[in-house]
Amino acid sequence: FFFWALRMIDLLIPPGMENFWDFTDPFVVFWQSIFRLPDDMMRLSICLIATYPAVLIHRFVLPGHKSRLVYSLFVGLFWAFFCFKWDALYYVVTGLLCYLTVWFLPTKQSPFLVILISFGILSYGHYNRYAYQYLHYSVDWATPMMLFCIKVQSFAWCVFDGKRPPNKFLPEKNRIEKMPSFLEYFSWLFFFAGFLSGPVGEFQDYISFSNRTMFKNEPNGEIPSSWEPAIKKTLWMFLGIFGFYLTKVIPESYCGTEEFLENPFWYRMLYLLIAVEVGFTKYYFAWFTGEAHTILVGAAYNGRSKSGNVLWNRIRMLDLIPFRLAHNRAMIHSNWNICSGEWLRYYWYLRVPPVVMKYINPVLITFGISAFWHGFYPGYYLFFGLYAFYYLVEEVIDRRFKRKYVVIVSGREFKPIKPFIYKIYVAVATLATWIYINSITITFRLLDWERTKIAWGAIYYWPIIVA
């Protein structure tokens, strides 16, 4: 019934304007003829590149708080309708329903209804993708809706927290004690610098950025220069462009074919690990571009270090080097898809009721939510199930081996017992983590169980069995 009701969203389209957004087609087709990208990816790329001048206008031209709010809202809305045409109404409906829910319902119940509404609409998008575009990847409206869910759910919980005493496990700065206006709320939801590909930040951070109170400790209360870090992120973006075309040469999909089995074992193992590694670069273009936007506009400002250097890490998607050299669970989940990791931590993992924790490990609940958030393909659930296993096993190794024989732990700091032994441990753990994570990530990329069986069978399941 819920999915049927969502189909009625077409009734919101003004009569006679069903094809209104087709006026953007000739412009997109022109750029498609140059870059040879499909329509969905071309539209996304155009918006991500056009966001660079848009953030400069936001930062250097707009005179005040309200003008920035209005500008952010309308640019974000235009990006949404440019990319997805009338399907962008799903964002408007989701945002409106969640706002009214938090406004009118008792604070105790509203977060749970917001979760149902946002996940329900997201599920409709995932269902359409699964049922009508099976194994065909496209950037449809459900992709940014995943980030939209993070926003509306965090908003509901922050309003919930604002009505209760502070919790030492939750960031106090995120608490919302007064219901914001429609303009503040929707401007944050559609903030164009992170709307399409992230990163997304907390509501209170956005307001303090927009009214410039975030920069009260800077000279004249102005945003410090962010050209250098923004340019560095933009340069990293080109690694994503290179990787996108490299995936055509080393496709992961080959691992799920019968032809793949005809190669010797060493080739199959090496190809799978390298193909998955190259596959990670698909995310770099959108994520590093999004980070460059938030740094350039100033929203990523996070104060200064002890040495006086400006920090631009308030909202991030990826810290590439620590992630690719990860040798433990913390280095993985705190350096990859960072904004969704913080959402899972603060709004799911730390909120699992004690009565539930008696029967189900909160780690399993959290990664189950992450799998559901990604979609309905079996590969998502296989990956996050096996990653949860890695998380729990690595936790045991850390507690029962590393802390006894490798390091001495004091509070949040640790000191190697013998530096040489510690270096060997890190090297072995890094290699083991890389092999295991890449071996299970192939199911996240192939998505289908039959293709996953071929890929895992080609390497005899040995990374999973050994783990």
Side-chain angles (χ1 to χ4, degrees):
F1 174 80
F2 186 75
F3 284 3
W4 174 84
L6 285 174
R7 291 194 179 98
M8 297 298 102
I9 206 168
D10 290 343
L11 298 176
L12 299 177
I13 302 174
M17 298 187 67
E18 293 83 358
N19 300 319
F20 173 78
W21 293 102
D22 289 352
F23 79 88
T24 62
D25 292 351
F27 179 73
V28 175
V29 169
F30 169 77
W31 290 107
Q32 278 184 284
S33 65
I34 298 174
F35 292 101
R36 306 297 180 185
L37 291 174
D39 181 81
D40 56 332
M41 297 194 71
M42 193 71 255
R43 289 177 182 272
L44 175 65
S45 300
I46 289 171
C47 287
L48 290 177
I49 299 303
T51 299
Y52 280 100
V55 298
L56 295 178
I57 294 173
H58 185 285
R59 176 167 175 173
F60 296 109
V61 177
L62 300 180
H65 175 49
K66 185 163 288 188
S67 63
R68 297 184 194 108
L69 294 176
V70 173
Y71 178 80
S72 294
L73 172 59
F74 278 96
V75 174
L77 279 171
F78 181 77
W79 276 193
F81 282 100
F82 179 85
C83 285
F84 311 113
K85 299 186 177 180
W86 288 116
D87 281 344
L89 288 172
Y90 288 108
Y91 307 120
V92 179
V93 170
T94 303
L96 181 61
L97 289 177
C98 292
Y99 183 86
L100 295 176
T101 298
V102 174
W103 194 4
F104 288 113
L105 261 65
T107 309
K108 190 175 182 180
Q109 284 82 37
S110 60
F112 301 100
L113 186 55
V114 166
I115 289 172
L116 290 176
I117 292 171
S118 58
F119 271 170
I121 295 175
L122 176 64
S123 296
Y124 178 64
H126 284 328
Y127 169 77
N128 286 334
R129 182 181 291 175
Y130 184 85
Y132 305 115
Q133 300 179 14
Y134 190 72
L135 298 182
H136 173 69
Y137 178 78
S138 63
V139 183
D140 58 13
W141 64 269
T143 305
M145 181 59 74
M146 296 168 68
L147 298 173
F148 222 70
C149 284
I150 291 178
K151 282 192 167 185
V152 294
Q153 291 180 20
S154 68
F155 176 80
W157 280 117
C158 288
V159 173
F160 175 89
D161 294 339
K163 306 295 183 182
R164 280 157 178 72
N167 186 324
K168 65 178 181 179
F169 297 108
L170 303 172
E172 189 172 347
K173 70 178 182 65
N174 296 340
R175 292 158 51 86
I176 301 174
E177 298 178 354
K178 180 183 176 182
M179 192 68 181
S181 67
F182 256 63
L183 177 59
E184 291 173 323
Y185 170 77
F186 276 99
S187 178
W188 167 65
L189 283 183
F190 286 95
F191 180 47
F192 61 96
F195 169 72
L196 290 173
S197 62
V200 297
E202 297 287 348
F203 173 80
Q204 293 289 45
D205 288 340
Y206 175 74
I207 295 302
S208 65
F209 152 72
S210 186
N211 62 24
R212 298 302 190 248
T213 57
M214 178 184 287
F215 312 100
K216 60 184 179 182
N217 294 325
E218 293 294 331
N220 301 320
E222 296 181 352
I223 306 174
S225 174
S226 58
W227 288 103
E228 183 179 345
I231 290 172
K232 286 181 178 178
K233 291 293 183 181
T234 302
L235 293 177
W236 277 110
M237 172 199 75
F238 287 101
L239 179 62
I241 297 176
F242 172 75
F244 174 79
Y245 289 102
L246 189 59
T247 56
K248 309 292 185 183
V249 181
I250 313 175
E252 297 159 303
S253 58
Y254 180 55
C255 297
T257 63
E258 295 291 342
E259 292 80 4
F260 184 61
L261 301 175
E262 298 173 3
N263 299 293
F265 170 74
W266 68 267
Y267 179 90
R268 299 196 300 263
M269 187 72 237
L270 194 60
Y271 183 95
L272 185 147
L273 294 175
I274 293 176
V276 170
E277 191 66 33
V278 171
F280 279 113
T281 62
K282 295 195 298 283
Y283 303 92
Y284 298 166
F285 172 76
W287 285 4
F288 281 128
T289 304
E291 287 193 17
H293 296 156
T294 56
I295 291 172
L296 193 57
V297 79
Y301 172 81
N302 199 22
R304 290 180 179 266
S305 65
K306 293 180 180 179
S307 59
N309 296 321
V310 180
L311 301 174
W312 297 102
N313 59 358
R314 183 179 293 270
I315 48 177
R316 297 179 298 158
M317 291 297 292
L318 170 66
D319 201 346
L320 182 58
I321 303 302
F323 170 69
R324 294 322 300 144
L325 296 179
H327 61 267
N328 59 46
R329 64 195 185 282
M331 293 182 70
I332 293 177
H333 65 248
S334 37
N335 292 298
W336 176 262
N337 206 351
I338 297 171
C339 64
S340 70
E342 292 181 347
W343 163 66
L344 289 169
R345 178 186 179 189
Y346 292 122
Y347 303 109
W348 286 98
Y349 180 78
L350 292 175
R351 297 178 190 268
V352 176
V355 65
V356 177
M357 293 171 63
K358 293 180 180 179
Y359 304 100
I360 307 177
N361 191 305
V363 171
L364 300 178
I365 295 175
T366 303
F367 287 122
I369 291 296
S370 184
F372 176 77
W373 178 68
H374 278 87
F376 296 155
Y377 286 111
Y380 296 138
Y381 298 87
L382 288 168
F383 170 79
F384 283 106
L386 290 169
Y387 180 67
F389 172 75
Y390 164 84
Y391 187 99
L392 296 172
V393 169
E394 199 278 328
E395 185 178 35
V396 173
I397 293 172
D398 178 66
R399 187 172 62 249
R400 299 189 180 182
F401 178 78
K402 181 181 176 182
R403 297 181 184 227
K404 286 185 177 181
Y405 307 108
V406 182
V407 298
I408 299 173
V409 180
S410 177
R412 289 182 173 270
E413 299 181 354
F414 67 88
K415 181 180 179 181
I417 297 175
K418 291 184 178 181
F420 180 71
I421 298 298
Y422 176 72
K423 290 178 181 179
I424 293 177
Y425 173 84
V426 169
V428 172
T430 301
L431 180 62
T433 297
W434 182 71
I435 292 175
Y436 180 75
I437 293 299
N438 282 24
S439 296
I440 66 172
T441 299
I442 191 64
T443 186
F444 188 96
R445 306 285 173 71
L446 296 178
L447 301 175
D448 179 65
W449 169 235
E450 294 301 324
R451 298 199 298 175
T452 297
K453 281 197 302 183
I454 294 174
W456 280 346
I459 58 174
Y460 306 118
Y461 293 85
W462 79 262
I464 300 171
I465 294 170
V466 171

